Short mmCIF file of all heavy atoms in Angstrom, two decimals:
data_model
loop_
_atom_site.label_atom_id
_atom_site.label_comp_id
_atom_site.label_asym_id
_atom_site.label_seq_id
_atom_site.Cartn_x
_atom_site.Cartn_y
_atom_site.Cartn_z
N GLN A 85 31.70 13.36 32.54
CA GLN A 85 33.14 13.56 32.80
C GLN A 85 33.64 14.84 32.13
O GLN A 85 34.42 15.59 32.71
CB GLN A 85 33.95 12.37 32.28
CG GLN A 85 33.78 11.11 33.09
CD GLN A 85 34.49 9.93 32.45
OE1 GLN A 85 34.57 9.82 31.22
NE2 GLN A 85 35.02 9.04 33.28
N THR A 86 33.18 15.10 30.91
CA THR A 86 33.58 16.31 30.18
C THR A 86 33.10 17.55 30.91
O THR A 86 33.85 18.51 31.09
CB THR A 86 33.02 16.28 28.75
OG1 THR A 86 33.49 15.11 28.08
CG2 THR A 86 33.43 17.52 27.96
N LEU A 87 31.85 17.54 31.35
CA LEU A 87 31.29 18.70 32.03
C LEU A 87 31.94 18.94 33.40
O LEU A 87 31.88 20.05 33.92
CB LEU A 87 29.77 18.53 32.18
CG LEU A 87 29.00 18.59 30.85
CD1 LEU A 87 27.56 18.13 31.04
CD2 LEU A 87 29.06 19.98 30.24
N ALA A 88 32.57 17.91 33.96
CA ALA A 88 33.24 18.06 35.26
C ALA A 88 34.68 18.55 35.14
O ALA A 88 35.31 18.88 36.14
CB ALA A 88 33.23 16.71 35.99
N LEU A 89 35.20 18.63 33.91
CA LEU A 89 36.57 19.11 33.72
C LEU A 89 36.68 20.57 34.15
O LEU A 89 35.71 21.32 34.07
CB LEU A 89 37.00 18.93 32.26
CG LEU A 89 37.08 17.49 31.77
CD1 LEU A 89 37.39 17.45 30.28
CD2 LEU A 89 38.12 16.69 32.56
N LYS A 90 37.89 20.94 34.56
CA LYS A 90 38.06 22.28 35.13
C LYS A 90 38.80 23.27 34.25
O LYS A 90 38.92 24.44 34.60
CB LYS A 90 38.79 22.17 36.48
CG LYS A 90 37.99 21.40 37.52
CD LYS A 90 36.63 22.04 37.74
CE LYS A 90 35.81 21.26 38.75
NZ LYS A 90 34.41 21.69 38.76
N ASN A 91 39.31 22.84 33.10
CA ASN A 91 39.94 23.81 32.20
C ASN A 91 39.88 23.32 30.77
O ASN A 91 39.62 22.15 30.50
CB ASN A 91 41.37 24.13 32.64
CG ASN A 91 42.31 22.98 32.49
OD1 ASN A 91 42.59 22.55 31.37
ND2 ASN A 91 42.81 22.45 33.60
N SER A 92 40.15 24.23 29.86
CA SER A 92 40.01 23.96 28.43
C SER A 92 41.15 23.14 27.85
O SER A 92 41.13 22.80 26.67
CB SER A 92 39.86 25.28 27.66
OG SER A 92 41.01 26.09 27.88
N LYS A 93 42.14 22.80 28.68
CA LYS A 93 43.23 21.96 28.20
C LYS A 93 42.91 20.47 28.34
O LYS A 93 43.64 19.63 27.84
CB LYS A 93 44.51 22.27 28.97
CG LYS A 93 45.03 23.67 28.70
CD LYS A 93 46.27 23.95 29.50
CE LYS A 93 46.71 25.38 29.23
NZ LYS A 93 47.85 25.75 30.06
N GLU A 94 41.82 20.16 29.00
CA GLU A 94 41.45 18.77 29.26
C GLU A 94 40.42 18.28 28.25
O GLU A 94 39.71 19.07 27.63
CB GLU A 94 40.91 18.64 30.68
CG GLU A 94 41.93 19.00 31.74
CD GLU A 94 41.36 18.92 33.14
OE1 GLU A 94 40.40 19.67 33.43
OE2 GLU A 94 41.85 18.09 33.91
N TYR A 95 40.35 16.97 28.12
CA TYR A 95 39.38 16.35 27.22
C TYR A 95 39.07 14.94 27.74
O TYR A 95 39.75 14.44 28.64
CB TYR A 95 39.90 16.28 25.79
CG TYR A 95 41.07 15.34 25.63
CD1 TYR A 95 40.88 14.04 25.16
CD2 TYR A 95 42.37 15.74 25.96
CE1 TYR A 95 41.95 13.18 25.03
CE2 TYR A 95 43.44 14.87 25.84
CZ TYR A 95 43.22 13.59 25.37
OH TYR A 95 44.27 12.72 25.24
N VAL A 96 38.08 14.31 27.15
CA VAL A 96 37.67 12.95 27.52
C VAL A 96 37.51 12.14 26.25
O VAL A 96 37.08 12.67 25.22
CB VAL A 96 36.34 12.97 28.31
CG1 VAL A 96 35.84 11.57 28.59
CG2 VAL A 96 36.49 13.75 29.62
N VAL A 97 37.86 10.87 26.33
CA VAL A 97 37.63 9.93 25.22
C VAL A 97 36.72 8.84 25.72
O VAL A 97 36.98 8.25 26.78
CB VAL A 97 38.94 9.31 24.71
CG1 VAL A 97 38.68 8.40 23.51
CG2 VAL A 97 39.95 10.37 24.36
N SER A 98 35.68 8.56 24.98
CA SER A 98 34.77 7.48 25.36
C SER A 98 35.46 6.14 25.19
O SER A 98 36.44 6.02 24.45
CB SER A 98 33.52 7.52 24.47
OG SER A 98 33.84 7.02 23.17
N PRO A 99 34.92 5.11 25.82
CA PRO A 99 35.40 3.76 25.49
C PRO A 99 35.02 3.45 24.03
O PRO A 99 34.15 4.12 23.45
CB PRO A 99 34.61 2.85 26.44
CG PRO A 99 34.03 3.75 27.48
CD PRO A 99 33.92 5.12 26.86
N PHE A 100 35.66 2.45 23.46
CA PHE A 100 35.28 2.01 22.11
C PHE A 100 34.00 1.21 22.28
O PHE A 100 34.01 0.07 22.76
CB PHE A 100 36.40 1.14 21.51
CG PHE A 100 36.17 0.80 20.07
CD1 PHE A 100 36.30 1.76 19.09
CD2 PHE A 100 35.83 -0.49 19.69
CE1 PHE A 100 36.09 1.45 17.75
CE2 PHE A 100 35.64 -0.82 18.37
CZ PHE A 100 35.77 0.15 17.39
N GLU A 101 32.87 1.83 21.91
CA GLU A 101 31.57 1.22 22.16
C GLU A 101 30.55 1.66 21.12
O GLU A 101 30.77 2.60 20.36
CB GLU A 101 31.07 1.58 23.57
CG GLU A 101 30.87 3.07 23.78
CD GLU A 101 30.58 3.44 25.24
OE1 GLU A 101 30.67 2.56 26.12
OE2 GLU A 101 30.27 4.61 25.48
N LYS A 102 29.42 0.95 21.11
CA LYS A 102 28.33 1.30 20.21
C LYS A 102 27.69 2.60 20.69
O LYS A 102 27.56 2.82 21.89
CB LYS A 102 27.27 0.20 20.19
CG LYS A 102 27.70 -1.05 19.48
CD LYS A 102 26.55 -2.05 19.44
CE LYS A 102 26.93 -3.27 18.64
NZ LYS A 102 25.81 -4.23 18.53
N THR A 103 27.28 3.41 19.74
CA THR A 103 26.62 4.67 20.09
C THR A 103 25.67 5.12 18.98
O THR A 103 25.94 4.91 17.80
CB THR A 103 27.66 5.79 20.38
OG1 THR A 103 26.97 7.01 20.62
CG2 THR A 103 28.63 5.98 19.22
N ASP A 104 24.57 5.73 19.40
CA ASP A 104 23.63 6.32 18.43
C ASP A 104 24.27 7.48 17.68
O ASP A 104 23.80 7.86 16.61
CB ASP A 104 22.38 6.84 19.15
CG ASP A 104 21.50 5.70 19.68
OD1 ASP A 104 21.66 4.56 19.21
OD2 ASP A 104 20.68 5.96 20.57
N LEU A 105 25.33 8.03 18.23
CA LEU A 105 26.03 9.12 17.57
C LEU A 105 26.80 8.64 16.34
O LEU A 105 27.31 9.44 15.57
CB LEU A 105 27.02 9.78 18.54
CG LEU A 105 26.37 10.46 19.76
CD1 LEU A 105 27.40 10.75 20.83
CD2 LEU A 105 25.65 11.73 19.33
N TYR A 106 26.87 7.29 16.18
CA TYR A 106 27.55 6.69 15.03
C TYR A 106 26.65 5.61 14.43
O TYR A 106 27.11 4.53 14.07
CB TYR A 106 28.90 6.12 15.47
CG TYR A 106 29.85 5.74 14.36
CD1 TYR A 106 30.20 6.64 13.37
CD2 TYR A 106 30.41 4.47 14.32
CE1 TYR A 106 31.08 6.29 12.36
CE2 TYR A 106 31.31 4.11 13.32
CZ TYR A 106 31.64 5.03 12.34
OH TYR A 106 32.52 4.68 11.33
N GLU A 107 25.38 5.89 14.35
CA GLU A 107 24.38 4.99 13.79
C GLU A 107 24.44 3.59 14.41
O GLU A 107 24.27 2.59 13.75
CB GLU A 107 24.52 4.89 12.27
CG GLU A 107 24.31 6.22 11.57
CD GLU A 107 24.35 6.12 10.06
OE1 GLU A 107 25.47 6.10 9.52
OE2 GLU A 107 23.27 6.05 9.46
N GLY A 108 24.67 3.56 15.72
CA GLY A 108 24.69 2.29 16.43
C GLY A 108 25.97 1.50 16.29
O GLY A 108 26.07 0.38 16.79
N GLY A 109 26.98 2.07 15.63
CA GLY A 109 28.25 1.37 15.44
C GLY A 109 29.23 1.65 16.55
O GLY A 109 29.01 2.51 17.41
N TYR A 110 30.33 0.91 16.53
CA TYR A 110 31.40 1.08 17.50
C TYR A 110 32.32 2.22 17.06
O TYR A 110 32.73 2.29 15.91
CB TYR A 110 32.25 -0.19 17.59
CG TYR A 110 31.62 -1.32 18.34
CD1 TYR A 110 30.83 -2.26 17.69
CD2 TYR A 110 31.80 -1.46 19.71
CE1 TYR A 110 30.27 -3.33 18.37
CE2 TYR A 110 31.24 -2.51 20.40
CZ TYR A 110 30.47 -3.45 19.73
OH TYR A 110 29.91 -4.49 20.41
N THR A 111 32.65 3.07 18.02
CA THR A 111 33.62 4.13 17.74
C THR A 111 34.08 4.78 19.03
O THR A 111 33.65 4.42 20.12
CB THR A 111 33.03 5.21 16.80
OG1 THR A 111 34.11 6.03 16.32
CG2 THR A 111 31.99 6.07 17.48
N TYR A 112 34.96 5.77 18.87
CA TYR A 112 35.40 6.63 19.96
C TYR A 112 34.75 8.00 19.77
O TYR A 112 34.66 8.50 18.65
CB TYR A 112 36.92 6.82 19.95
CG TYR A 112 37.71 5.57 20.24
CD1 TYR A 112 38.38 4.90 19.23
CD2 TYR A 112 37.81 5.09 21.54
CE1 TYR A 112 39.13 3.77 19.50
CE2 TYR A 112 38.55 3.95 21.81
CZ TYR A 112 39.21 3.30 20.79
OH TYR A 112 39.94 2.17 21.05
N VAL A 113 34.36 8.60 20.88
CA VAL A 113 33.88 9.99 20.86
C VAL A 113 34.83 10.79 21.74
O VAL A 113 35.06 10.44 22.91
CB VAL A 113 32.43 10.11 21.39
CG1 VAL A 113 32.00 11.57 21.42
CG2 VAL A 113 31.48 9.27 20.56
N TYR A 114 35.41 11.83 21.16
CA TYR A 114 36.30 12.73 21.89
C TYR A 114 35.47 13.96 22.26
O TYR A 114 34.70 14.47 21.44
CB TYR A 114 37.47 13.17 21.01
CG TYR A 114 38.42 12.05 20.69
CD1 TYR A 114 38.09 11.06 19.76
CD2 TYR A 114 39.66 11.97 21.32
CE1 TYR A 114 38.97 10.02 19.46
CE2 TYR A 114 40.54 10.94 21.02
CZ TYR A 114 40.18 9.97 20.10
OH TYR A 114 41.04 8.95 19.81
N SER A 115 35.61 14.43 23.48
CA SER A 115 34.82 15.60 23.88
C SER A 115 35.64 16.53 24.76
O SER A 115 36.54 16.11 25.48
CB SER A 115 33.54 15.17 24.60
OG SER A 115 33.82 14.29 25.67
N ALA A 116 35.31 17.81 24.66
CA ALA A 116 36.00 18.84 25.43
C ALA A 116 34.97 19.83 25.98
O ALA A 116 33.94 20.07 25.35
CB ALA A 116 37.00 19.58 24.54
N PRO A 117 35.24 20.40 27.14
CA PRO A 117 34.31 21.34 27.75
C PRO A 117 34.39 22.72 27.10
O PRO A 117 35.42 23.10 26.56
CB PRO A 117 34.78 21.41 29.21
CG PRO A 117 36.26 21.16 29.12
CD PRO A 117 36.44 20.18 27.97
N ILE A 118 33.28 23.42 27.17
CA ILE A 118 33.23 24.82 26.73
C ILE A 118 33.00 25.68 27.96
O ILE A 118 32.02 25.47 28.69
CB ILE A 118 32.12 25.06 25.69
CG1 ILE A 118 32.36 24.19 24.45
CG2 ILE A 118 32.04 26.54 25.32
CD1 ILE A 118 31.22 24.22 23.44
N PHE A 119 33.91 26.63 28.17
CA PHE A 119 33.80 27.54 29.31
C PHE A 119 33.44 28.93 28.79
O PHE A 119 33.90 29.34 27.73
CB PHE A 119 35.13 27.61 30.06
CG PHE A 119 35.51 26.33 30.74
CD1 PHE A 119 36.32 25.41 30.10
CD2 PHE A 119 35.05 26.05 32.01
CE1 PHE A 119 36.67 24.22 30.72
CE2 PHE A 119 35.40 24.86 32.65
CZ PHE A 119 36.21 23.94 31.99
N THR A 120 32.65 29.64 29.57
CA THR A 120 32.37 31.04 29.27
C THR A 120 33.21 31.88 30.22
O THR A 120 33.61 31.41 31.28
CB THR A 120 30.86 31.36 29.43
OG1 THR A 120 30.48 31.08 30.78
CG2 THR A 120 30.02 30.54 28.48
N PRO A 121 33.48 33.15 29.85
CA PRO A 121 34.35 33.99 30.69
C PRO A 121 33.87 34.15 32.13
O PRO A 121 34.65 34.28 33.04
CB PRO A 121 34.36 35.33 29.97
CG PRO A 121 34.05 35.01 28.55
CD PRO A 121 33.10 33.84 28.60
N GLN A 122 32.56 34.14 32.33
CA GLN A 122 32.04 34.40 33.67
C GLN A 122 31.89 33.15 34.53
O GLN A 122 31.42 33.24 35.66
CB GLN A 122 30.69 35.13 33.58
CG GLN A 122 29.55 34.29 33.05
CD GLN A 122 29.41 34.32 31.54
OE1 GLN A 122 30.35 34.61 30.83
NE2 GLN A 122 28.21 34.02 31.05
N SER A 123 32.28 31.99 34.03
CA SER A 123 32.06 30.76 34.79
C SER A 123 33.32 29.90 34.87
O SER A 123 34.06 29.77 33.90
CB SER A 123 30.94 29.95 34.14
OG SER A 123 30.77 28.74 34.82
N LYS A 124 33.52 29.30 36.04
CA LYS A 124 34.62 28.35 36.22
C LYS A 124 34.16 26.93 35.93
O LYS A 124 34.97 26.01 35.91
CB LYS A 124 35.17 28.45 37.63
CG LYS A 124 35.85 29.77 37.92
CD LYS A 124 36.41 29.82 39.31
CE LYS A 124 37.05 31.18 39.55
NZ LYS A 124 37.59 31.31 40.90
N GLU A 125 32.87 26.76 35.74
CA GLU A 125 32.30 25.44 35.42
C GLU A 125 32.00 25.37 33.92
O GLU A 125 31.61 26.38 33.31
CB GLU A 125 31.00 25.23 36.19
CG GLU A 125 31.13 25.35 37.70
CD GLU A 125 32.01 24.26 38.29
OE1 GLU A 125 31.95 23.12 37.80
OE2 GLU A 125 32.77 24.56 39.24
N ALA A 126 32.15 24.20 33.36
CA ALA A 126 31.82 24.02 31.94
C ALA A 126 30.33 24.29 31.73
O ALA A 126 29.49 23.84 32.50
CB ALA A 126 32.16 22.60 31.49
N GLN A 127 30.03 25.05 30.69
CA GLN A 127 28.65 25.39 30.35
C GLN A 127 28.09 24.50 29.24
O GLN A 127 26.94 24.64 28.84
CB GLN A 127 28.55 26.86 29.97
CG GLN A 127 29.01 27.80 31.06
CD GLN A 127 28.20 27.63 32.32
OE1 GLN A 127 26.98 27.78 32.31
NE2 GLN A 127 28.86 27.31 33.43
#
Side-chain angles (χ1 to χ4, degrees):
Q85 289 174 325
T86 302
L87 292 168
L89 295 175
K90 296 303 179 192
N91 68 66
S92 59
K93 294 179 182 176
E94 298 178 298
Y95 68 98
V96 174
V97 183
S98 75
F100 188 71
E101 61 188 7
K102 288 184 176 183
T103 176
D104 290 342
L105 297 165
Y106 193 54
E107 298 184 279
Y110 284 90
T111 194
Y112 293 106
V113 177
Y114 292 75
S115 53
I118 300 172
F119 294 93
T120 60
Q122 70 271 23
S123 177
K124 293 181 181 179
E125 303 295 323
Q127 301 301 302

